[in-house]
Amino acid sequence: MSSSSASSARKPLVVAIMGPTASGKTASALEIARHIPSEIISVDSALVYRGMDIGTAKPSAEELAAVPHHLIDIMEPTQSYSAMQFRDDALRLFAEIHARGKLVLMVGGTMLYFKALRDGLDELPQADPALRARLDAEAAQIGVPGMHAKLAQLDPVTAARLKPNDSQRIQRALEIIELSGQTMSSLLTDRPAPELPFDTLPLALEPSDRSVLHQRIAQRFDLMLGQQHNGPVEGGLTKGGLIQEVETLRARGDLHLGLPSMRCVGYRQTWEYLDGQYGYQELREKGIAATRQLAKRQLTWLRSMPERIVIDCIGNHVAETVLETVSNALKR
């Protein structure tokens, strides 16, 4: 997200609180809202889904009641929510919140959404469920590397920048070719970023010691596995919490691992555990490993934003530091 510039100094300020999972973004946003009238726009591709509360670390009912939140619980897990939809919703919400005289806090770790807001999006064809199902079936026959080889013949530029096991992006690139008759690489342009109606204060909560963040991730995943909907379970890890939540989702009968919702970190691993693919301890290990990989990707995205203001998320008084930074920016 780009920060303020002299040419647009009169624009209202939006605070972007970015960071990897378990970095304390929600606590920092709530601290700001306690002192400055604010509303929160969630920048999280998993929080949009109803019925997915534990594995997404969704804010509690008390936290949601303390300050208005937006873009949480807006979709069924059978549906898809795109970066383009996010951009449209975020710009609409900014105008509404600003009209109410509140500070807009954009809070989350889905860096693609932040990028879509900052840079805009190229016009790509919408997803086609029937085509995706057919591509899924083809991938089951020839494997993801086989799909990557097919893409390399049709769109070598896109194939070269994708890993051979990146099933989701390979499928999307093939889908675009079939829907539009053009390659993704030809549709993506280098047009300038659109003008936004606000300036952004980009705050990045990043760990000075990544091993401490890894400890937090493990502790939080353990809590997800051990908690019930009404709080922690005595005796440590028990069959409850995330496992119970995924059991409830499976019982609906309309969900499967091909959906974006069920590909969320923690949910895929728990689904496979319930399928009997591995035991409880391996579920824990795989869930923690997947969350650490997610955090690594989020930090890589953040490092590509040189304009960000870095705040050590494992330091002392993190939320207070964020509040002070925001307060000082609003005084300028």
Side-chain angles (χ1 to χ4, degrees):
M1 304 293 290
S2 58
S3 55
S4 311
S5 64
S7 63
S8 57
R10 295 179 184 173
K11 290 182 182 179
L13 189 68
V14 165
V15 177
I17 302 177
M18 307 173 288
T21 185
S23 59
K25 299 180 293 293
T26 296
S28 294
L30 292 174
E31 180 67 14
I32 294 170
R34 273 192 284 270
H35 296 83
I36 302 169
S38 308
E39 296 189 29
I40 294 172
I41 297 176
S42 169
V43 189
D44 191 303
S45 60
L47 295 188
V48 300
Y49 295 116
R50 290 187 282 268
M52 296 173 59
D53 303 332
I54 295 172
T56 61
K58 194 169 288 179
S60 66
E62 293 77 16
E63 289 169 336
L64 291 172
V67 55
H69 285 68
H70 304 276
L71 304 187
I72 294 177
D73 289 340
I74 60 170
M75 308 291 286
E76 284 297 313
T78 51
Q79 299 174 299
S80 297
Y81 187 70
S82 69
M84 185 177 293
Q85 286 174 285
F86 168 79
R87 191 176 196 278
D88 291 344
D89 286 342
L91 289 172
R92 171 183 55 80
L93 286 165
F94 159 75
E96 295 172 1
I97 296 167
H98 180 60
R100 290 193 284 270
K102 303 284 190 68
L103 176 66
V104 178
L105 307 177
M106 290 189 172
V107 184
T110 300
M111 302 305 164
L112 178 61
Y113 287 5
F114 282 116
K115 185 178 187 299
L117 190 60
R118 178 189 66 186
D119 298 337
L121 289 159
D122 294 277
E123 294 293 334
L124 298 174
Q126 292 292 311
D128 182 286
L131 176 55
R132 288 203 165 178
R134 181 161 61 77
L135 290 171
D136 279 338
E138 186 177 356
Q141 286 186 328
I142 68 174
V144 177
M147 299 293 278
H148 185 264
K150 177 181 177 180
L151 179 62
Q153 291 181 331
L154 299 171
D155 184 0
V157 175
T158 298
R161 68 177 178 80
L162 296 181
K163 294 180 179 178
N165 62 350
D166 192 343
S167 59
Q168 192 170 350
R169 289 183 176 86
I170 292 168
Q171 181 195 62
R172 177 60 175 153
L174 290 169
E175 179 185 55
I176 286 169
I177 292 169
E178 293 212 27
L179 291 173
S180 69
Q182 301 180 68
T183 63
M184 179 182 280
S185 56
S186 68
L187 291 171
L188 297 177
T189 64
D190 293 324
R191 57 184 169 78
E195 182 81 7
L196 291 173
F198 52 80
D199 284 329
T200 307
L201 182 68
L203 306 181
L205 305 186
E206 301 178 30
S208 57
D209 182 347
R210 199 172 296 191
S211 67
V212 177
L213 181 67
H214 290 170
Q215 291 171 10
R216 285 189 188 179
I217 287 170
Q219 291 166 357
R220 191 169 74 166
F221 197 74
D222 282 344
L223 186 61
M224 288 176 180
L225 288 173
Q227 72 181 11
Q228 300 283 359
H229 289 282
N230 59 353
V233 176
E234 291 185 5
L237 302 180
T238 62
K239 186 180 178 183
L242 180 57
I243 295 172
Q244 182 182 15
E245 184 170 76
V246 176
E247 284 180 329
T248 300
L249 291 167
R250 284 163 62 99
R252 291 170 47 130
D254 58 353
L255 302 178
H256 55 83
L257 284 180
L259 292 167
S261 60
M262 293 299 101
R263 289 199 292 261
C264 289
V265 168
Y267 288 88
R268 172 185 286 277
Q269 291 77 20
T270 306
W271 189 290
E272 291 171 347
Y273 160 77
L274 291 169
D275 275 344
Q277 293 189 31
Y278 36 78
Y280 184 88
Q281 186 59 32
E282 194 172 354
L283 160 62
R284 178 183 181 273
E285 292 168 357
K286 285 181 176 292
I288 291 171
T291 310
R292 285 173 58 165
Q293 283 296 313
L294 170 61
K296 182 180 179 181
R297 292 194 299 271
Q298 290 168 318
L299 289 166
T300 299
W301 272 94
L302 286 169
R303 285 197 296 271
S304 71
M305 300 177 179
E307 72 278 10
R308 75 196 189 283
I309 300 167
V310 178
I311 296 173
D312 185 5
C313 69
I314 63 172
N316 296 321
H317 312 296
V318 177
E320 292 83 351
T321 301
V322 170
L323 172 61
E324 182 181 4
T325 305
V326 172
S327 299
N328 290 338
L330 291 172
K331 292 172 186 175
R332 294 175 195 150

